[in-house]
Each structure stands twice: as C-alpha cells, then as structure tokens.
C-alpha cells in the first residue's frame, strides 16, 4: 500500500518529529549525576534513546551497583528537560506535515507525558496538525506495549491495520506491529538497527514520495 491508501497516520514525537532525544538524554544524565555522582558515558546517552528513564535507571543500578531511585530520577529528569528543552523539528518533518494536513487524518502517540508534549507541539507550531493526541498520561503501559497505538486508533475510529505508524526507535516499531499497524522507520541519524522488513526513510524521502503521488495518483 502507498501513503494515500491508509485511513490515518499515527506519528511518534521524540526522535521522530522533534530532535528532543538529546535533551531527554542530557536531562537523564544530569539526574543520575545529581543522585549518584555517576557520569553517563557518551554511548550511554545514545543507549537512553530507546529506553524509558525508569528502565534505564534500573539497568544502571545493576550495571554499576548504584542506588538510584528510578522514580526520583524520572522526576528530576522531567524537571531538567523543562529547563533546557528547545523544540526543533527534524529536516523535512514540518513540510511533510503541512503537505498532509487537511488531506489525511493524523494522530500523535508518544511515551512522553502531556505536560511536555503540548508545549513542545505548540513551540514547534504543529499542534493543529493532529486530530488526536495520545500520551503516556493516557495509558497504563508505554511502548513497546501496543496499548497506545490501539487507543489512538480507537480514538480515530479506524482499525489499526488501516493506519500507518511513523517511528524512529525499535520500541515504537514493536508497539505498532503488535497492534497490527503498518510501520515506517524514520531515519533521523540515530544508530538504530532496523528490522530488514521495515521500510526506512528520512522525512525528505517521505515528502518526495508524497509529492510524487500528487502528480501520479495511480
């Protein structure tokens, strides 16, 4: 199926639409340093991108014998993100959204909490692109659990298999597939080993495919 053939698009936020991963990773590193004195290594900043703060804090405890309180790390990390975050869209993301706005039903499904998501979308000037916004505040289980994709599809009144999900990390890809949705991996330069059977595109690639269909609808 082509982009036009799906009833709706469901997009991830962090690392997919906005270049927020570096801010989340730095905030997590600052929280860990403040609580334990341990300074994350550069590769651990990248490792953080595919995890949640609580999981990674628990991993670091096991790895280095730390005594981190995962909930306190998460709290400190969220506070620090608010201090340092700047909403930056990846190249081609805004043009892709503008192309499809009004032509395709679009939703956001993100592991981030609502208090972070709404200001980020408004700062990036893409809040009005989405018919539905589902965040970590709406679910019991975050990605890679499929709950957030299933709830978003239900809110859109579409079947998951008729949606196309855009994700940058493996946990999002797993969530989409578990929900029965089709998924595209968005390559924004992170070192991710995507499954061989998942299509991988940059936003500029996807914009070109969208514009190509405008002139060749068949």
């Amino acid at each position: 199926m082509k982009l036009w053939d799906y009833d709706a698009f469901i997009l991830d936020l962090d690392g997919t639409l906005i270049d927020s991963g570096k801010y989340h990773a730095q905030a997590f590193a600052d929280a860990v340093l403040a609580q334990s004195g341990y300074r994350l290594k550069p590769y651990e900043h990248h490792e953080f991108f595919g995890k949640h703060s609580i999981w990674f804090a628990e991993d670091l405890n096991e790895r280095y014998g730390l005594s981190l309180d995962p909930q306190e790390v998460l709290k400190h990390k969220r506070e620090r993100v608010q201090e340092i975050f700047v909403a930056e869209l990846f190249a081609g993301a805004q043009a892709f959204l503008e192309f499809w706005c009004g032509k395709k039903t679009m939703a956001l499904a993100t592991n981030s909490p609502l208090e972070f998501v709404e200001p980020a979308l408004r700062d990036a000037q893409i809040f009005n692109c989405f018919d539905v916004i589902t965040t970590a505040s709406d679910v019991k289980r975050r990605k890679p659990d499929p709950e957030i994709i299933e709830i978003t599809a239900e809110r859109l009144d579409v079947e998951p298999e008729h949606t196309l999900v855009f994700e940058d990390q493996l946990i999002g890809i797993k969530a989409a597939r578990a929900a029965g949705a089709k998924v595209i991996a968005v390559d924004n330069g992170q070192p991710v080993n995507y499954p061989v059977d998942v299509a991988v595109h940059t936003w500029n690639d996807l914009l070109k495919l969208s514009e190509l269909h405008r002139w060749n609808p068949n």
Side-chain angles (χ1 to χ4, degrees):
M1 296 175 74
K2 298 178 181 178
L3 293 175
W4 283 91
D5 296 328
Y6 293 90
D7 292 340
F9 294 162
I10 299 176
L11 300 94
D12 178 48
L13 181 64
D14 297 294
T16 300
L17 285 172
I18 60 174
D19 190 8
S20 57
K22 59 188 178 185
Y23 298 107
H24 285 282
Q26 185 59 56
F28 177 81
D30 291 347
V32 169
L33 180 63
Q35 191 176 131
S36 69
Y38 177 73
R39 190 179 300 276
L40 261 66
K41 301 175 179 66
Y43 74 85
E44 288 171 331
H45 281 248
H46 289 288
E47 188 179 354
F48 171 82
F49 292 162
K51 298 187 177 182
H52 184 267
S53 297
I54 289 178
W55 306 343
F56 201 18
E58 292 170 347
D59 285 350
L60 292 174
N61 281 340
E62 294 180 8
R63 194 176 300 178
Y64 300 116
L66 304 178
S67 299
L68 295 166
D69 180 332
Q71 290 292 344
E72 283 300 311
V73 169
L74 175 60
K75 179 182 176 182
H76 187 162
K77 177 254 183 180
R78 287 179 172 173
E79 292 171 351
R80 183 66 177 138
V81 166
Q82 296 293 341
E83 294 172 355
I84 65 176
F85 176 71
V86 178
E88 301 173 275
L89 287 164
F90 284 106
Q94 184 167 10
F96 178 86
L97 290 174
E98 289 176 350
F99 179 91
W100 287 102
C101 191
K103 301 185 184 77
K104 183 70 66 178
T105 300
M106 292 193 287
L108 194 80
T110 171
N111 271 355
S112 288
L114 181 61
E115 59 266 26
F116 170 79
V117 172
E118 186 169 344
L121 294 177
R122 293 192 186 281
D123 288 349
Q125 299 182 342
I126 57 174
F127 182 84
N128 292 332
C129 294
F130 301 104
D131 301 279
V132 165
I133 295 172
T134 310
T135 73
S137 307
D138 300 307
V139 298
K140 295 179 180 179
R141 299 173 300 277
R142 296 179 174 89
K143 305 171 193 176
D145 191 277
E147 181 185 9
I148 198 166
I149 304 298
E150 294 167 347
I151 286 176
T152 303
E154 182 178 352
R155 289 175 168 181
L156 292 172
D157 196 26
V158 299
E159 296 298 324
E161 56 265 31
H162 297 153
T163 66
L164 182 60
V165 177
F166 298 80
E167 288 279 356
D168 71 298
Q169 293 290 332
L170 296 178
I171 60 170
I173 292 171
K174 289 178 182 177
R177 288 182 145 184
K182 182 72 173 179
V183 62
I184 281 180
V186 181
D187 179 8
N188 284 321
Q190 294 299 328
V192 181
N193 293 319
Y194 295 114
V196 296
D197 57 341
V198 172
V200 182
H201 295 287
T202 66
W203 284 119
N204 285 324
D205 292 338
L206 292 166
L207 179 61
K208 289 177 182 176
L209 289 172
S210 302
E211 291 175 336
L212 180 65
H213 185 85
R214 174 191 286 172
W215 305 115
N216 297 281
N218 298 317

